[in-house]
Amino acid sequence: GTYNLEGGKLSAGNIQIQPPGGGTGTFNVMNTITTVTGDVVNYGTIKTTNAIVTWNGTFTNNGAYNSDPATQIFEGDVEVGADGYLVGASQDLFVVKGDFINQSINPDGYWNTAAATLKFAKDSSGNTIHNFSIPGEDNGDSGTNSPPTRW
């Protein structure tokens, strides 16, 4: 099914979009400034459009996360599973106050955040140290100092 959040706040212990084993699920956050409280596990599609959304719990993305344009503030850790990916453009801001653990090996190449902004910020305790993990292969310095193609 589809859940549209266009104002107000959503609070739940756990929020799961498209449980494994069947069905489809879409969670749209549109035209609002809002807070989603609870741990989120996404196996479907989350789309934020013209919104500022604060995710208060741990955010686990095993599906699609599309920002068009929006600001997303992750108060807890962000974990991207093997099949998960993020899409964001030049007006999209991803603020992470916890750790960012990316295990995505999405073979379809959907991940596209080259023009988006990723910012690490202090958590609620004032902590400024974050773990940032991305999949890849260390081939040493190529000597070109070329910028990465995505974050």
Side-chain angles (χ1 to χ4, degrees), residues 26-89:
T26 302
F27 184 24
N28 296 308
V29 181
M30 305 171 287
N31 307 314
T32 190
I33 298 172
T34 191
T35 300
V36 177
T37 300
D39 293 337
V40 175
V41 179
N42 175 37
Y43 291 96
T45 300
I46 293 176
K47 185 169 184 181
T48 57
T49 306
N50 297 319
I52 298 173
V53 58
T54 300
W55 304 96
N56 270 343
T58 297
F59 191 94
T60 304
N61 187 49
N62 296 306
Y65 189 107
N66 296 297
S67 180
D68 185 30
T71 295
Q72 23 283 313
I73 301 164
F74 299 95
E75 293 286 342
D77 294 341
V78 176
E79 301 170 4
V80 182
D83 294 326
Y85 62 91
L86 305 176
V87 176

